[in-house]
Amino acid sequence: MIVLKFGGTSVGSAERIRNLFNIVSAIIDQRPIVVVSAFNGVTDHLIALAMNAMQGKLDLTWIRERHFKEIEKLNLESELIESELNELETALKGIMYLKEVNPKILDLVMSFGERISAKIVAEYFNQQGINAKALNAYDIGLLTDSNFGNAEVLEESYKLLQDYFYSYSDFIPIVTGFIAKDAKGNITTLGRGGSDYTATILGAAVDAEEVQIWTDVDGVMTADPKICPTARTVEALTYEEAYELAYFGAKVLHPKTILPVKKKGIPVRILNTFNPKAKGTLITSRVARPNKVAAIACKKKVNILNIHTPKMFLAYGYLYRIFEIFNRHKISVDLISTSEVNVSLTTEDKYDIDELKKDLKEIAELEVFNSRATVSIVGQGINMEPNIAGRTFSVLGRKGINIEMISAGSSKINISFAVKQEDADECVRELHREFFENE
Ligand code: ASP
Ligand code: MG
């Protein structure tokens, strides 16, 4: 079996759905399982609909047109998605009535994007004479905890999904990405971009030969090509490298994607539906790239928090108290570096940190710097190569880019540091030149 996941731009129009059909129908004897995202733009729009409903506004015109236009071009019946649209309307009316949006109802609202796209894709296969069935992942065993908006998969899902897929036979499953249910039957989501994660969960459940992530770029790039036009595709990555790159800002993969397949050694291939002949990026347990940089990732909109206390000297339990506060506020920390009296760390600025700041100020002096970026140099074994850190810092020194915080040595494959956001692009370009254009 082989799992193929198609992202928003790869399902987002009649033309793209035909293209998807060609890709999948060519490998039917490998027993493909297809995972789909919502049409591009739809999830964002659903969130906006929920927010508007809270303010008493309800207008489904855009969402209807977005899908009906493509349904028509594919010669399918618009009734196909009527029940989902009605259900969506009911959920939005609930929000209007309560004047409140919470993560639970937001997950329900967001779920319609994937539910609708799976139905359209499956129906197109059937019209083309290939038996297919739209499946909501939660109906075939994908269960999570109740952490709405970023739910974690329950271990029992793997067995349930395996049982399902080992017993079906005569159709191509078209499965919703991104969404699941908790034990009480509430719809949950796996975090934005989570369809990748659904694909590898299914891949691990069925012991797939391979998981293919079909997207709109040629794979993981050596740097973000929007920042660095000379960036090129990375042909091979290890699971660890892919994880670190995704976690530290490369947008091609959802960071959790790697976890289910890594244990089983199932290869993940990132491919481009717009350029299907390109080799893409292959992610496995080993690569032949001794102690060299694989790629540079950058995460913007980051805060640096400097937590300072002279009392930390020789005290124990202090770091525990700091992290207990982060834990209580459910704020995750990306980089960290410590000295005797100082702890510096970075967080994404999507979090509201006002309450966190109050609690931290009770135990220490606190300085917060906004509009920062983290830059990460990732490559298996790079921490064994003293030269890489040296070259990094001398390049930035020459350019006068000030490094505000360094976090090295935490993993063997990653050197990360924080700079002012306005310096980030230049920093990425300079490092790219140093590690990819001069060798
Ligand atoms: N549709 C969801 C999102 O936009 C999940 C995904 O595309 O992977 O975040
Ligand atoms: Mg994605």
Side-chain angles (χ1 to χ4, degrees), residues 5-8 36-39 41-44 110 113-114 177-178 191-197 254:
K5 177 259 169 177
F6 292 87
V36 291
S37 290
F39 286 16
V42 166
T43 309
D44 286 341
M110 285 195 286
E114 272 70 14
F178 182 51
R192 294 302 306 272
S195 300
D196 299 334
Y197 190 27
H254 184 281

Side-chain angles (χ1 to χ4, degrees), residues 257-270:
T257 310
I258 293 308
L259 305 175
V261 280
K262 186 181 161 199
K263 280 182 265 174
K264 296 198 160 187
I266 299 169
V268 175
R269 205 182 284 275
I270 303 173

